[in-house]
Amino acid sequence: MLTSALPGSGLVTTRMRQIGVIMLAVLLLAVASIAAILVIGDPLRIAATLGTHRGVLIGALVVVVVVGLVWCLQIVLANLAQTTKERLEGAKRYLALALAAVMVIAVAVPFGRGVQSLWAPQGLFGSTSVFGGDGDGFAEGPDPWADTPRLNIMLLGQDAGADRTGTRPDTIMVASIDTETGQTALFSIPRNLENVEFPEGTVAAEEFPDGFDYYGKNENLINAVWAWAEENKDLFPGDPEPGLTATRWAVEETLGISTDYYAMVNLKGFEDLVNALGGVDLVVERRIPIGGGASEVEGYIEPGEQKLDGYHALWYARSREGSDDFNRMCRQRRIVRAVSEEADPTSLALSIPRLVTATEENIQTDIPVGNVDAFVELALRIKDGGFTSYPITQDVTFSGNPDWEYLEEWVDASIQDSMKKDPPESVQGETEPGSTEPAETGAPPEEDTATTEEPTSEENTTEEETTTEEESSSATTSAPTEEATPTDAPEIEQDPLKSCLPGAEG
């Protein structure tokens, strides 16, 4: 039993004493090396950097297999040697052998889990269906971001499925990252932003010189740009993903910034990621319907402290019943931040195989696979620097007739504002100090009963999404029909998640 925990110790008192001493010495050296790394270096950064190289992972996989086999073998050798030394016979001999078998299993199981945890990511880093692009543009030296002061990544959430008549990005965000500090401005673009413009010189700008106008009144939304491009692939010769390209153009022109990379997740993938992490803790601010819109409400996410699994976390983010688009955007940003808070190194390490499976099946990006280590370092900086939400609400500009010039000024001001902030406080929600009662909860946004026209075509309708909903989300805030007059300095909302935190009045 002792040799199961201290390899070689069971051999020291037998004829194989030298083998036992060597194994104990190797164990001592390994423990001392690990202790030195923990004291001198940053173990998380070292593990993250080494763990993003496929060659390193394969090498570690071989080492784990060899060490595991040797560890199990020396248990068997110690059993045989001690049995001979003690001259065990009959039932005692079989009992000792059975005990050795139990010890071998006890050692083999964690080593098998280690092999699984190394095999999964090495396969992921060899995947061409998840990663893409090339590794150009990174600085030489210890800091790959030395020549890139700011990085903009477009984040898309798709709700694709067999029951959908077309693919539309259900969530559109852009993370603008200061690569030195990790401080990040997270912009949320409402999916009902109308008549978006495109960069000059693009085929989309030539088709719509006065803004996107293809599907008819109240249907020319930014999340419909993808569908238009996919329906007109002849305008994008040689482009395998015209929907992504056109959406990227629209996002860049809307915010007035270029995007360096994109990451796109199927919303089913978000559910799988949350499940892989074991769920997310959240104080739900009010009763959130599951279903609604084009289908029946099947249940509710109850208010108060909850451990949301993937299914309920996804519905918390996507529920439209009793909400306007801006409240929904708030919940999306809150759940994304809550998941990032939940994803500590320990939970990530224990969830690697399931995380890899969820990633391979549901995530696509043009981040170069050869430079994943640089992005892991950047992710660690973001975790330290924090990110601040900047939603494009009706208070910023009216979604039905946006003021594009003012919007670009607001984006610049928001980026500057994000550089001045300390890391944001937790958004998981709190109860009263010393109390076990749920936090005070709020009320849903007021629903608008205005009637609207029917959709112009079935292809422009998505699950739980109707024209009535699109107009009502715009009508929830009284807004002028003409472009707003820009102020001297854009106003930046200081608490953009307040409306979906516990205690909000809606």
Side-chain angles (χ1 to χ4, degrees), residues 249-324:
W249 289 340
V251 168
E252 290 180 338
E253 190 68 10
T254 295
L255 299 181
I257 58 177
S258 61
T259 57
D260 302 286
Y261 299 98
Y262 80 91
M264 182 164 57
V265 58
N266 187 312
L267 293 189
K268 171 63 178 173
F270 178 77
E271 179 178 338
D272 294 341
L273 287 171
V274 173
N275 283 333
L277 290 171
V280 57
D281 294 311
L282 197 74
V283 177
V284 179
E285 71 278 13
R286 62 178 177 84
R287 216 175 183 215
I288 305 295
I290 298 174
S295 60
E296 295 294 327
V297 174
E298 300 176 358
Y300 293 89
I301 303 171
E302 298 298 335
E305 289 190 44
Q306 299 283 358
K307 182 78 169 181
L308 300 179
D309 59 14
Y311 173 81
H312 291 92
L314 178 57
W315 270 108
Y316 177 84
R318 72 184 295 196
S319 180
R320 297 189 179 108
E321 183 74 16
S323 298
D324 57 38

Side-chain angles (χ1 to χ4, degrees), residues 189-491:
I189 301 176
R191 62 194 177 89
N192 66 342
L193 196 68
E194 296 188 40
N195 304 116
V196 290
E197 299 179 348
F198 301 93
E200 185 177 353
T202 63
V203 64
E206 295 174 1
E207 289 289 312
F208 308 107
D210 298 320
F212 184 62
D213 183 14
Y214 184 74
Y215 289 111
K217 184 181 179 182
N218 303 316
E219 290 292 325
N220 298 310
L221 315 176
I222 190 171
N223 78 330
V225 169
W226 186 294
W228 162 76
E230 293 293 333
E231 292 172 15
N232 296 273
K233 292 184 177 181
D234 57 301
L235 298 176
F236 300 81
D239 189 339
E241 296 181 295
L244 174 63
T245 299
T247 300
R248 195 170 198 161
W249 289 340
V251 168
E252 290 180 338
E253 190 68 10
T254 295
L255 299 181
I257 58 177
S258 61
T259 57
D260 302 286
Y261 299 98
Y262 80 91
M264 182 164 57
V265 58
N266 187 312
L267 293 189
K268 171 63 178 173
F270 178 77
E271 179 178 338
D272 294 341
L273 287 171
V274 173
N275 283 333
L277 290 171
V280 57
D281 294 311
L282 197 74
V283 177
V284 179
E285 71 278 13
R286 62 178 177 84
R287 216 175 183 215
I288 305 295
I290 298 174
S295 60
E296 295 294 327
V297 174
E298 300 176 358
Y300 293 89
I301 303 171
E302 298 298 335
E305 289 190 44
Q306 299 283 358
K307 182 78 169 181
L308 300 179
D309 59 14
Y311 173 81
H312 291 92
L314 178 57
W315 270 108
Y316 177 84
R318 72 184 295 196
S319 180
R320 297 189 179 108
E321 183 74 16
S323 298
D324 57 38
D325 269 359
F326 302 100
N327 176 264
R328 185 166 170 267
M329 284 167 54
C330 182
R331 283 185 276 112
Q332 289 172 351
R333 295 191 308 277
R334 186 184 176 205
I335 196 69
V336 166
R337 277 181 50 181
V339 170
S340 71
E341 290 179 32
E342 196 85 12
D344 60 88
T346 302
S347 63
L348 289 174
L350 295 175
S351 307
I352 286 176
R354 288 178 295 169
L355 285 171
V356 168
T357 300
T359 300
E360 285 184 316
E361 295 178 353
N362 299 288
I363 294 178
Q364 176 184 333
T365 179
D366 61 349
I367 289 176
V369 66
N371 294 100
V372 171
D373 54 340
F375 282 89
V376 169
E377 169 62 29
L378 183 61
L380 293 173
R381 296 181 189 182
I382 293 172
K383 192 168 182 65
D384 292 337
F387 54 90
T388 307
S389 297
Y390 298 96
I392 301 177
T393 65
Q394 303 288 50
D395 292 331
V396 176
T397 188
F398 177 43
S399 60
N401 189 19
D403 183 338
W404 304 114
E405 184 178 347
Y406 175 78
L407 192 54
E408 291 187 15
E409 294 176 1
W410 175 83
V411 169
D412 290 338
S414 298
I415 290 175
Q416 295 303 315
D417 181 71
S418 71
M419 300 290 292
K420 303 173 185 176
K421 290 184 175 294
D422 294 327
E425 297 180 0
S426 172
V427 298
Q428 292 183 339
E430 297 178 340
T431 56
E432 289 296 322
S435 172
T436 58
E437 294 297 320
E440 179 186 357
T441 55
E446 294 182 4
E447 295 184 71
D448 198 298
T449 57
T451 57
T452 57
E453 298 177 7
E454 293 297 319
T456 55
S457 68
E458 184 180 348
E459 293 183 357
N460 292 340
T461 304
T462 56
E463 181 188 28
E464 305 161 40
E465 181 178 352
T466 64
T467 308
T468 301
E469 176 197 69
E470 300 291 0
E471 275 202 14
S472 65
S473 65
S474 295
T476 53
T477 300
S478 178
T481 56
E482 298 182 359
E483 292 188 357
T485 302
T487 58
D488 292 336
E491 295 183 8

Side-chain angles (χ1 to χ4, degrees), residues 91-223:
K92 292 182 179 180
R93 186 183 186 90
Y94 291 121
L95 181 61
L97 186 61
L99 181 61
V102 171
M103 294 298 101
V104 167
I105 294 173
V107 169
V109 167
F111 273 96
R113 183 60 183 267
V115 169
Q116 184 186 19
S117 295
L118 289 169
W119 177 262
Q122 70 81 26
L124 174 64
F125 293 133
S127 172
T128 57
S129 63
V130 176
F131 298 99
D134 54 51
D136 295 338
F138 292 86
E140 299 290 337
D143 184 5
W145 303 106
D147 296 338
T148 311
R150 180 160 291 275
L151 193 76
N152 300 317
I153 302 178
M154 181 175 68
L155 309 172
L156 300 176
Q158 281 190 323
D159 202 0
D163 59 339
R164 306 299 296 271
T165 55
T167 299
R168 291 188 178 195
D170 209 48
T171 301
I172 305 174
M173 299 181 182
V174 172
S176 184
I177 308 160
D178 179 87
T179 59
E180 182 179 357
T181 65
Q183 291 171 303
T184 301
L186 185 65
F187 296 101
S188 297
I189 301 176
R191 62 194 177 89
N192 66 342
L193 196 68
E194 296 188 40
N195 304 116
V196 290
E197 299 179 348
F198 301 93
E200 185 177 353
T202 63
V203 64
E206 295 174 1
E207 289 289 312
F208 308 107
D210 298 320
F212 184 62
D213 183 14
Y214 184 74
Y215 289 111
K217 184 181 179 182
N218 303 316
E219 290 292 325
N220 298 310
L221 315 176
I222 190 171
N223 78 330

